[in-house]
Amino acid sequence: MKTVDIEKLVRPNILALKPYSSARDEFQGSEGIFLDANENPFGTLNRYPDPHQKALKTKLSEVKNVPAKQIFIGNGSDEVIDLIYRIFCEPGKESAIICPPTYGMYEVSANINNIGLQKIPLTTDFQLDIEKILQTAEADTSVKLIFVCSPNNPTGNRLENLEKLLDNFNGIVVADEAYIDFCPEHSLKSKINNYPNLIVMQTFSKAWALAGVRVGMAFADEKIISLLDKTKPPYNVSAINQQAALETLSHPDEFEERRNTILQQKAHLAEELSKMEIVKRIYPSDANFLLVEVSDANRIYNELVQK
Ligand code: PMP
């Protein structure tokens, strides 16, 4: 197991933060008359949701084979991205590495939080330039973390050699696995006990078909999970969201069936696209979408928008 002193990577104000104590934490139990949170006694959604999402984490723990205490639930993974910046990067001083072309929110969220970015583009075959990443992290002590997206949006491929990065990068490594359910055997979630600096993000928005619900997950060492827990807004995941995610997890057959349909349709789409004259190249995809090179891309784009 790699040793990393996580506390040294955390912003001092977050390390010292005394988290908000929610009324629901003061009393353990489900029976009784609740007077402690100034709620309304009427209605069906009158109570604050469980701030620890216990029922959802218990079920997720079974499905994902990760202990509940190593799971964090966010209001979509976009909330997790924002929290990671706020926990580890001092605004105006510290920075992160991203590897474009990649998911746009790593940059937007860094800009919102006034976090510097070192951009180290993917190689021509859309893989990480690991040597350059390690050199940059070594030379620039403001670098606290790196976002890697696998399968990557928008290229669709899995990133290789992530363990080499994990073995040698001593900041936080965030592996965004939003599309991993389309190639689950490649998840890094089984490595969270080997690398205390690894955060694996997943989401209900893609293969679980719940983008409207806003539920994202992070799997990591307990220390990182407790930092995420104390920094999040207490009721970040609504009761409706928690219930919808829980409900979906109870229908594994439907999940499996839909995923198979999407993967079959992806293969069918690739085959049909390959017959078209405008299509120059279809890149290999481990996700639910395809990166396709076409001739005269802007014209085709505009025509599709018109239609
Ligand atoms: N990561 C990647 C790579 C994505 O493509 C997306 C959504 N397009 C997200 C995260 C956002 O996920 P969520 O809906 O859970 O916020």
Side-chain angles (χ1 to χ4, degrees):
M1 179 178 159
K2 183 174 168 128
T3 48
V4 180
D5 189 349
I6 293 298
E7 293 187 351
K8 282 211 174 116
L9 294 171
V10 180
R11 287 170 65 200
N13 62 313
I14 298 291
L15 211 50
L17 179 72
K18 190 171 172 297
Y20 178 78
S21 166
S22 95
R24 274 309 107 81
D25 282 336
E26 314 268 306
F27 168 74
Q28 303 296 320
S30 56
E31 295 292 313
I33 300 169
F34 294 107
L35 302 171
D36 54 359
N38 308 339
E39 295 154 330
N40 192 312
F42 305 111
T44 49
L45 285 168
N46 55 331
R47 299 296 178 189
Y48 283 103
D50 174 10
H52 310 293
Q53 305 105 16
K54 283 193 215 78
L56 179 54
K57 281 184 187 168
T58 304
K59 184 72 190 168
L60 254 184
S61 168
E62 258 171 51
V63 173
K64 296 286 180 180
N65 199 20
V66 173
K69 55 185 192 281
Q70 286 179 273
I71 302 177
F72 174 79
I73 314 274
N75 194 295
S77 7
D78 285 343
E79 182 184 39
V80 185
I81 295 170
D82 177 70
L83 284 169
I84 290 170
Y85 280 126
R86 289 199 281 146
I87 291 168
F88 296 106
C89 298
E90 200 61 46
K93 290 188 185 151
E94 294 182 322
S95 63
I97 295 177
I98 61 168
C99 304
T102 193
Y103 180 47
M105 276 309 284
Y106 311 142
E107 181 160 2
V108 174
S109 198
N111 290 342
I112 291 168
N113 287 294
N114 196 20
I115 307 305
L117 282 182
Q118 291 273 7
K119 294 183 189 171
I120 303 183
L122 296 176
T123 58
T124 47
D125 55 352
F126 300 140
Q127 290 298 328
L128 294 176
D129 188 341
I130 294 193
E131 294 311 320
K132 188 126 191 253
I133 290 169
L134 295 176
Q135 277 167 15
T136 305
E138 180 129 340
D140 181 350
T141 53
S142 82
V143 170
K144 300 295 288 296
L145 56 92
I146 180 167
F147 278 97
V148 293
C149 186
S150 181
N152 186 43
N153 174 1
T155 56
N157 62 305
R158 264 185 297 116
L159 299 181
E160 285 156 15
N161 298 323
L162 288 173
E163 286 196 51
K164 184 170 176 203
L165 178 72
L166 282 162
D167 284 333
N168 295 289
F169 186 86
N170 292 319
I172 300 292
V173 176
V174 188
D176 184 348
E177 295 188 345
Y179 300 95
I180 203 71
D181 294 308
F182 298 103
C183 55
E185 65 283 12
H186 296 288
S187 174
L188 283 178
K189 73 177 159 43
S190 60
K191 305 284 178 199
I192 53 176
N193 291 331
N194 305 9
Y195 299 100
N197 57 333
L198 169 64
I199 303 175
V200 175
M201 291 199 309
Q202 295 188 8
T203 180
F204 277 84
S205 295
K206 309 296 173 181
W208 290 97
L210 283 185
V213 158
R214 315 305 301 130
V215 180
M217 300 155 261
F219 308 119
D221 185 86
E222 259 181 85
K223 270 198 184 146
I224 292 185
I225 297 299
S226 42
L227 288 160
L228 287 161
D229 276 334
K230 79 170 182 172
T231 310
K232 78 179 178 73
Y235 306 110
N236 62 326
V237 186
S238 79
I240 301 173
N241 295 11
Q242 292 186 43
Q243 190 50 42
L246 201 52
E247 168 75 17
T248 291
L249 286 172
S250 324
H251 297 103
D253 294 347
E254 190 178 56
F255 166 77
E256 206 56 56
E257 209 178 289
R258 288 172 170 180
R259 178 174 58 184
N260 291 342
T261 304
I262 290 167
L263 291 174
Q264 277 161 14
Q265 289 295 315
K266 180 176 79 166
H268 179 51
L269 178 64
E271 198 186 316
E272 292 302 313
L273 281 169
S274 70
K275 296 175 190 163
M276 297 177 75
E277 215 168 291
I278 52 160
V279 171
K280 300 276 174 234
R281 185 167 174 190
I282 301 168
Y283 288 82
S285 163
D286 301 295
N288 60 346
F289 60 90
L290 294 167
L291 175 68
V292 181
E293 187 185 340
V294 292
S295 55
D296 209 354
N298 286 337
R299 181 184 58 79
I300 291 165
Y301 179 82
N302 288 327
E303 273 178 29
L304 288 171
V305 170
Q306 293 304 319
K307 285 180 181 164

